[in-house]
Amino acid sequence: MPFRLSRTSSITTETPFGPSILQRSRRRFSSTPISRHGHLEPPKPGEELTVTFIDKEGEKHEFKVKEGDNLLDIAQANDLEMEGACGGSCSCSTCHVIVVSDHYDQMEPADEEENDMLDLAFGLTETSRLGCQVKMSKDLDGLVVQLPAMTRNLSPNDFK
Amino acid sequence: MRLSIQSTPARYSCANLARRLSHARPGRPGALIGALIGGRNGFLSASPLHKHPISTLIPPRLPKTTSRTSLSFQQCHAYTTHPSTTNPNPFRAAIIGSGPAGFYTAYRLLSKLLTAHVDMYEQLPVPYGLARFGVAPDHPEVKNCENKFEEVAEDSRFTYIGNVAVGRDVELKEMKAHYDSIIFAYGASQDRKLGIPGEDLGGVYSAREFVGWYNGLPQLASLAPALDAGEDAIVIGQGNVALDVARILLTPVDALRKTDITEAALETLAKSRVKRVKVVGRRGPLQAAFTVKEVRELMHIPGVSFTPISSSFYPENPKSLPRIQRRIGEVLLKGTPDAPPDTSPKNWSLSFLLSPKSFNPSPDNDKHISSITFAPQRFADDADRYSNAARVVPNTEEQDMTLPASVAFRSIGYKSAALLGLSDIGVLFDSKLGVIPNDAYGRVMSPSLGPGNLSAGHVPGLYCAGWVKRGPTGVIASTMKDAFTTADVVVQDWAEEVPFLGHEEGAKGERRGWDALREKVESRGVRPVGWKEWHVIDKVEKERGAAKGKPREKFGTVEEMLEVLDR
């Protein structure tokens, strides 16, 4: 069993009428991944870097990781809903993340290949990156990224 | 009142359907739309769901018998906040098709619904659909999705049933009794035709046929495209498949020897005389469907020049374009500075604003193509020529243009076909659009079931995913997203205990799926192939490939595949 990183969140969104549909269905059908990915080693004490993922329900998941881990591996090792259809080879856009902390400018800029794939990402933003291409470093300690919604949803354009 | 569903010009979406339904019931415009995006009640702004952004919501299924407009606000809330309890019954689904749409649907379904069991039907012995037979051999990294599919197939709640063609070897109506749900994910196995003279001449192929041939699709093993007939190839259409065709035609054959392209394709490509590939589109570069990676690859083939395109298609300041068009524009306008057209042995070009009119036979051989005549087009007067939706009209001021072509590929889109027996289970295939009518989430819709109540239109238990659902566009990531949506609505509908298959007959209890069907199907002389048997084929294919320095040498026929199993 791969090392499980600490998870510091819980699902708390309740509506005035009880938990929302999504959370209810979540409880009823708790997700059991088919297998684990990204066999990450734990960080050495004192060398932990912090990264936070905001999932599509708006929940924050904070992890202590080590330098060099990429965001796709971190997300998959922690069962976050992020696919890496091409296996992290920068050939699809399924590990698209949106950088929401002010670390975007401190990252190595996306290269041509990554930008070519980002062109195909759903909901591309000015601070979009591919998770498989972002490696944790000391400069990125405290990084916060958001996962875009992974299911197709109707947009107002669908009604035109 | 019966709605004619065959002639809808636009793609099926719930909006379309809503429009159609509201035509049938004047005075209730948009009710279905409201219901779909706003939850059961359509009162989006007042719903507790509103605290979640719309983008996170999957529309709940509507209760079968309640009239939408008669629900009071309180009733709506009461229903919204007190759904049925957990549906404890085991859920048995048949997924038809083992490509990315089928596997991503299975993956999501098995992850989200612990009581689910999936039987996946595939007409070939071997799985993965277009990941195996569509993805270009020089894009092996795109096939990495197969690793995920392999994991899915290892799940004990998953059964692979290869070499069984639904509709031919097993009928949909007999399957219906043994499943709670049937999910159509069988993709697009045909192609659109231009419907112009000469389309059946020798040397005219569809891109789908050519791609299937070099990827070893058994049905196309004998295609033998006439690449030695001359030096000029024309590809009609400007999507990524068109560029795949151009790239395979222009790539030095030795560079392909390390890929899993078939040995037969390598032999034919080695004898190819094609030197010039023209990729022709009806509109301009800003309207083309190809993506930047595929264009860039064509600019980097050694010894292949690109004929510069006119900058008049672009605004004075190309930086003002949206990101995607801007980046493609940069690559196109840069071209191939290291490979000048006059000194490079091979060339590719993009031609715009040309609509094909006829394929013309060769004067020496009236069975083979020698040229294509095109009718020039121009942007419509009211069109924004820099918009990717810009419309074109025939340009009557210019003469038709005839371009030489010793071989031609029609790459104007794939098309799904109706599965045999679909109508037996209440599905009206839309042969014009080449899709199964659905509500844009994946519920199969039939106008004969609505309107009149809140679940108007859904054929109970039937769902679809992938190209047969939304049409043949997009990359694997788009199909994944789409398949996840389908699986999510299946799970949600199951939780809501809305009718699934067999509901009308009052059938209760566990469905046995393939276990109940197997004996009968085998008695017809069908030889099903299981997942472990696929592994045997897979292993031999890899061994055959290793002997030639390739990742895999595919078997070219179903007989060869089965022979490995039964030897």
Side-chain angles (χ1 to χ4, degrees), chain B residues 373-447:
Chain B
T373 301
F374 294 91
Q377 309 286 302
R378 62 175 177 84
F379 288 105
D381 292 332
D382 60 347
D384 169 6
R385 54 189 296 162
Y386 305 131
S387 149
N388 62 1
R391 216 161 46 84
V392 294
V393 293
N395 183 351
T396 46
E397 284 168 24
E398 279 190 41
Q399 300 267 312
D400 285 354
M401 186 188 281
T402 297
L403 300 170
S406 51
V407 60
F409 302 90
R410 187 178 65 220
S411 184
I412 53 166
Y414 288 42
K415 193 174 162 185
S416 298
L419 204 56
L420 210 59
L422 268 184
S423 57
D424 296 345
I425 58 168
V427 182
L428 287 178
F429 187 80
D430 184 329
S431 45
K432 189 160 183 207
L433 295 175
V435 296
I436 291 179
N438 67 84
D439 69 349
Y441 293 97
R443 299 179 181 107
V444 173
M445 305 299 267
S446 169

Side-chain angles (χ1 to χ4, degrees), chain A residues 5 19 22-23 44 48 67 80 82 105 122 127 145 152:
Chain A
L5 298 156
L22 281 165
Q23 277 112 46
K44 290 198 181 96
E48 300 96 339
E67 193 162 357
L80 293 186
M82 188 198 280
D105 292 333
F122 298 94
T127 61
V145 295
R152 177 176 148 73

Side-chain angles (χ1 to χ4, degrees), chain B residues 28-183:
Chain B
R28 296 177 59 194
L32 183 61
I33 301 177
L36 281 169
I37 59 169
R40 288 167 188 79
N41 45 32
F43 293 98
L44 181 66
S45 58
S47 161
L49 292 168
H50 186 50
K51 74 178 288 187
H52 298 279
I54 283 189
S55 62
T56 66
L57 294 177
I58 297 291
R61 250 307 283 261
L62 307 166
K64 178 98 182 163
T65 52
T66 325
S67 162
R68 189 182 311 115
T69 42
S70 68
L71 278 177
S72 73
F73 185 67
Q74 257 64 33
Q75 282 171 315
C76 296
H77 275 310
Y79 187 78
T80 306
T81 52
H82 300 288
S84 57
T85 51
T86 305
N87 187 336
N89 300 319
F91 178 77
R92 191 107 182 182
I95 294 182
I96 301 171
S98 71
F103 264 108
Y104 278 123
T105 306
Y107 167 50
R108 186 77 160 196
L109 205 51
L110 292 170
S111 305
K112 295 256 160 172
L113 185 55
L114 296 179
T115 55
H117 188 118
V118 169
D119 289 345
M120 180 178 281
Y121 289 82
E122 166 57 53
Q123 62 173 331
L124 288 170
V126 297
Y128 302 148
L130 285 187
R132 176 182 164 110
F133 294 114
V135 172
D138 56 344
H139 288 166
E141 63 287 344
V142 178
K143 297 179 197 240
N144 285 344
C145 59
E146 293 174 7
N147 297 332
K148 167 66 74 182
F149 305 159
E150 173 72 40
E151 286 174 19
V152 175
E154 293 297 326
D155 192 296
S156 61
R157 296 177 290 135
F158 177 95
T159 307
Y160 175 74
I161 305 148
N163 203 33
V164 175
V166 172
R168 184 192 68 198
D169 300 331
V170 56
E171 287 183 65
L172 280 168
K173 62 181 184 212
E174 47 183 351
M175 288 171 68
K176 198 180 156 189
H178 301 291
Y179 288 100
D180 296 295
S181 175
I182 297 176
I183 303 168

Side-chain angles (χ1 to χ4, degrees), chain B residues 341-557:
Chain B
D342 40 354
T343 57
S344 301
K346 292 184 182 177
N347 170 268
W348 84 284
S349 60
L350 288 167
S351 298
F352 302 107
L353 296 174
L354 291 176
S355 177
K357 224 174 151 181
S358 66
F359 296 95
N360 311 317
S362 159
D364 313 325
N365 175 0
D366 62 4
K367 300 259 174 347
H368 197 90
I369 182 180
S370 70
S371 65
I372 306 177
T373 301
F374 294 91
Q377 309 286 302
R378 62 175 177 84
F379 288 105
D381 292 332
D382 60 347
D384 169 6
R385 54 189 296 162
Y386 305 131
S387 149
N388 62 1
R391 216 161 46 84
V392 294
V393 293
N395 183 351
T396 46
E397 284 168 24
E398 279 190 41
Q399 300 267 312
D400 285 354
M401 186 188 281
T402 297
L403 300 170
S406 51
V407 60
F409 302 90
R410 187 178 65 220
S411 184
I412 53 166
Y414 288 42
K415 193 174 162 185
S416 298
L419 204 56
L420 210 59
L422 268 184
S423 57
D424 296 345
I425 58 168
V427 182
L428 287 178
F429 187 80
D430 184 329
S431 45
K432 189 160 183 207
L433 295 175
V435 296
I436 291 179
N438 67 84
D439 69 349
Y441 293 97
R443 299 179 181 107
V444 173
M445 305 299 267
S446 169
S448 60
L449 296 179
N453 58 47
L454 282 174
S455 64
H458 183 203
V459 190
L462 302 188
Y463 298 82
C464 55
W467 281 5
V468 78
K469 165 183 171 186
R470 67 175 204 282
T473 58
V475 292
I476 290 179
S478 345
T479 286
M480 176 172 92
K481 219 169 146 64
D482 172 89
F484 284 2
T485 303
T486 296
D488 286 353
V489 294
V490 173
V491 171
Q492 187 179 313
D493 286 357
W494 185 249
E496 307 289 348
E497 297 189 32
V498 303
F500 272 75
L501 286 176
H503 177 86
E504 307 87 338
E505 294 89 40
K508 292 267 180 236
E510 192 175 349
R511 308 303 165 86
R512 291 174 55 237
W514 176 237
D515 296 336
L517 288 160
R518 179 171 192 140
E519 205 174 308
K520 200 165 164 194
V521 172
E522 284 180 338
S523 73
R524 295 170 185 156
V526 177
R527 191 234 184 274
V529 171
W531 195 254
K532 285 206 176 82
E533 292 180 305
W534 149 242
H535 280 169
V536 174
I537 298 173
D538 184 41
K539 183 164 167 278
V540 180
E541 283 190 340
K542 283 177 176 160
E543 288 166 0
R544 283 156 43 106
K548 296 172 185 147
K550 300 164 78 172
R552 169 188 306 277
E553 182 62 49
K554 293 171 190 166
F555 286 114
T557 64

Side-chain angles (χ1 to χ4, degrees), chain A residues 17 28-29 34-35 37 56 83 85-86 91 94 112 115-116 119 122 124 150-154 159, chain B residues 33 55-57 81 86 107 112-113 141 144-145 148 151 296 323-324 327 441 480-481 485 488:
Chain A
F17 305 92
R28 281 177 295 173
F29 305 107
I34 285 161
S35 78
H37 306 264
K56 62 175 181 150
E83 294 300 323
C86 75
S91 301
T94 53
E112 199 171 75
N115 273 318
D116 285 0
D119 277 1
F122 298 94
L124 186 70
M150 260 324 296
T151 43
R152 177 176 148 73
N153 295 286
L154 288 188
F159 299 98
Chain B
I33 301 177
S55 62
T56 66
L57 294 177
T81 52
T86 305
Y107 167 50
K112 295 256 160 172
L113 185 55
E141 63 287 344
N144 285 344
C145 59
K148 167 66 74 182
E151 286 174 19
R296 204 188 293 286
R323 173 189 164 119
I324 294 173
R327 297 187 73 248
Y441 293 97
M480 176 172 92
K481 219 169 146 64
T485 303
D488 286 353

